[in-house]
């Protein structure tokens, strides 16, 4: 029998121990990382790999230690997360769970599950990714604290901003439009130089400019809201004493800060303010309405479908379904806000 031809690799590769199986029969290369895996597993999970691997072998086929070598143009770290998620069920949760899953793992698994068509992993990764963003502002109080990002839109450091851009680009790439109202809203506050020099599309940069104008309108509405509350008065004349006036001024000022959409600060301050119970109730009710109206109008501001349609898109993307093989994925997950 003729020896199997072996084409020397074009660069220095290093095998990844966890994904180097002795009985693997295909070698995947991504940048400098090498993975010896199984044709059957890749073909079972991914229609794209199934097509690639079903092509008849050509004489030009690169080989590595006697096995076909497939070079992917993707980032090596992303491919490692992607393959680990396919091979190791415990590595990638079927719902948002352990907080120690690295951001890069979510990005890598989601991007490549979408690109190479791995439905179960795309759905899992979308669930974890989507759990960090709100669509229903009324449920904000039940939202978990985001673990890979802050809700604070005033991002100053380059690392956070680059992560933020990655999230927007990823959402566009995989069609997860339902995370974009929050992301674009926060991006609208970024410095113009950063927006312009980022990898964001021109359309999204324009969206951010338009969003910033929208926020200006919200500030005005927030101020008017407190004026209205003050003018409404009450039997106890809450807003005719220095405490009440000071509270109203501070609260109106706070409404000019977009982070109030993600914070309960105004509600908490209202509860402890020197005001009568009726005024407190009125302020919290009107404030919640203001927040809801503003939030509901956001998707349109960014040329996105409305909240109802976005929720429906999310439901379809995340839903678990049955096939002749049985339940494709675990359905233990909590509804998203
Ligand atoms: Zn009062």
């Amino acid at each position: 029998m003729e020896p199997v031809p072996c084409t020397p690799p074009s660069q220095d590769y290093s095998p990844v121990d966890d994904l180097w199986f002795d009985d693997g029969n295909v070698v995947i290369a991504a940048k400098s990382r090498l993975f010896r895996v199984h044709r059957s597993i890749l073909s079972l999970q991914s229609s794209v790999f199934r097509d690639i691997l079903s092509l008849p072998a050509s004489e030009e086929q690169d080989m590595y230690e006697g096995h076909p070598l497939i070079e992917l143009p993707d980032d090596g770290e992303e491919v490692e997360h992607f393959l680990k998620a396919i091979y190791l069920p415990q590595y990638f949760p079927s719902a948002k769970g352990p907080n120690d899953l690295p951001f890069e793992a979510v990005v890598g698994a989601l991007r490549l599950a979408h690109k190479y068509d791995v439905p179960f992993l795309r759905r899992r990764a979308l669930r974890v990714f989507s759990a960090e963003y709100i669509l229903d502002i009324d449920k904000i109080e039940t939202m978990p604290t985001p673990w890979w990002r802050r809700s604070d839109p005033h991002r100053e450091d380059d690392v956070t901003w680059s992560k933020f851009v990655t999230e927007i680009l990823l959402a566009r790439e995989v069609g997860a439009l339902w995370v974009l109202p929050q992301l674009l809203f926060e991006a609208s506050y970024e410095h113009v130089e950063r927006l312009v020099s980022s990898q964001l599309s021109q359309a999204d940069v324009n969206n951010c400019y338009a969003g910033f104008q929208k926020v200006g309108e919200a500030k005005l509405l927030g101020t008017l809201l407190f004026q209205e509350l003050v003018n409404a008065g009450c039997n106890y004349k809450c807003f005719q004493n220095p405490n009440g006036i000071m509270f109203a001024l501070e609260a109106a000022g706070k409404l000019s800060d977009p982070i109030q959409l993600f914070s309960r600060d105004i509600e908490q301050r209202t509860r402890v303010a020197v005001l009568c119970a009726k005024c407190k109730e009125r302020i919290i009710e009107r404030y919640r309405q203001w927040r809801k109206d503003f939030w509901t109008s956001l998707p349109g501001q960014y040329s996105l479908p409305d909240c109802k349609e976005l929720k429906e898109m999310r439901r379809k993307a995340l839903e678990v379904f049955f096939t002749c093989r049985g339940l494709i994925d675990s359905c233990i997950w909590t509804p998203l806000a």
Side-chain angles (χ1 to χ4, degrees):
M1 189 178 162
E2 290 291 311
V4 180
C6 179
T7 308
S10 56
Q11 54 177 301
D12 289 332
Y13 289 119
S14 56
V16 175
D17 288 345
D18 289 349
L19 294 162
W20 191 262
F21 299 100
D22 289 343
D23 62 342
N25 51 10
V26 63
V27 175
I28 303 284
K31 300 295 183 283
S32 64
R33 298 184 201 207
L34 275 188
F35 312 90
R36 184 169 160 188
V37 288
H38 304 85
R39 301 170 66 105
S40 54
I41 301 279
L42 294 182
S43 298
L44 181 69
Q45 299 293 1
S46 157
S47 64
V48 176
F49 276 111
R50 189 156 58 239
D51 290 347
I52 294 172
L53 293 167
S54 65
L55 293 172
S58 73
E59 288 189 2
E60 288 86 46
Q61 170 71 59
D62 285 339
M63 306 292 283
Y64 189 89
E65 294 184 358
H67 301 290
L69 176 74
I70 298 177
E71 288 206 59
L72 301 182
D74 310 294
D75 178 78
E77 187 182 353
E78 288 194 0
V79 173
E80 183 171 339
H81 290 303
F82 169 67
L83 290 173
K84 272 187 182 169
I86 287 180
Y87 268 90
L88 309 169
Q90 73 278 16
Y91 180 70
F92 205 95
S94 59
K96 182 176 160 50
N99 290 353
D100 54 0
L101 193 64
F103 174 69
E104 292 73 19
V106 180
V107 174
L110 179 51
R111 189 199 311 284
L112 298 184
H114 179 80
K115 179 176 179 181
Y116 294 112
D117 187 30
V118 181
F120 95 91
L121 183 57
R122 182 178 187 273
R123 196 164 44 247
R124 275 188 189 195
L126 269 178
R127 272 186 216 146
V128 175
F129 185 55
S130 303
E132 300 298 322
Y133 309 93
I134 48 173
L135 256 184
D136 189 343
I137 199 78
D138 285 343
K139 293 185 181 162
I140 195 167
E141 290 174 25
T142 61
M143 286 291 290
T145 306
W147 51 271
W148 70 60
R149 57 198 299 277
R150 293 176 297 145
S151 292
D152 183 352
H154 303 296
R155 295 154 189 276
E156 292 298 334
D157 57 293
D158 286 337
V159 176
T160 313
W161 171 241
S162 89
K163 196 180 266 192
F164 191 45
V165 171
T166 301
E167 291 171 279
I168 295 176
L169 293 175
L170 179 63
R172 288 288 186 197
E173 189 176 335
V174 304
L177 300 188
W178 52 89
V179 305
L180 287 173
Q182 180 179 344
L183 285 174
L184 291 173
F185 172 64
E186 294 183 29
S188 298
Y189 279 82
E190 200 44 74
H191 301 298
V192 173
E193 307 85 66
R194 269 186 174 174
L195 278 172
V196 172
S197 62
S198 72
Q199 292 176 281
L200 294 182
S201 68
Q202 188 58 50
D204 272 341
V205 171
N206 292 344
N207 274 333
C208 289
Y209 294 153
F212 193 75
Q213 280 191 342
K214 177 77 178 171
V215 173
E217 292 170 26
K219 287 179 186 180
L220 182 64
L221 287 174
T223 310
L224 291 175
L225 183 152
F226 269 88
Q227 271 182 12
E228 169 205 314
L229 289 167
V230 170
N231 291 339
C234 69
N235 292 341
Y236 301 97
K237 300 187 170 28
C238 286
F239 293 107
Q240 289 181 24
N241 66 62
N243 281 334
I245 293 167
M246 192 58 76
F247 171 82
L249 286 173
E250 278 180 6
K254 282 205 162 284
L255 277 187
S256 67
D257 183 345
I259 200 171
Q260 287 305 322
L261 281 176
F262 301 99
S263 157
R264 279 175 282 171
D265 188 56
I266 284 190
E267 290 191 32
Q268 284 160 349
R269 281 168 180 262
T270 303
R271 288 198 179 91
V272 297
V274 186
L275 299 168
C276 73
K278 198 156 182 77
C279 279
K280 288 182 185 182
E281 190 187 326
R282 203 153 43 95
I283 289 169
I284 290 174
E285 188 185 313
R286 289 288 283 118
Y287 166 66
R288 285 183 176 175
Q289 188 60 47
W290 169 82
R291 195 166 69 166
K292 187 170 184 172
D293 291 345
F294 181 62
W295 191 256
T296 308
S297 70
L298 265 189
Q301 197 61 41
Y302 297 119
S303 313
L304 294 166
D306 65 25
C307 282
K308 194 176 167 195
E309 200 175 329
L310 288 172
K311 277 184 195 171
E312 183 59 15
M313 289 172 73
R314 184 178 64 180
R315 188 190 65 74
K316 282 186 181 162
L318 306 191
E319 79 181 352
V320 177
F321 55 92
F322 290 84
T323 70
C324 55
R325 286 188 191 151
L327 185 60
I328 277 194
D329 202 357
S330 163
C331 58
I332 306 168
W333 64 289
T334 45
L336 305 177

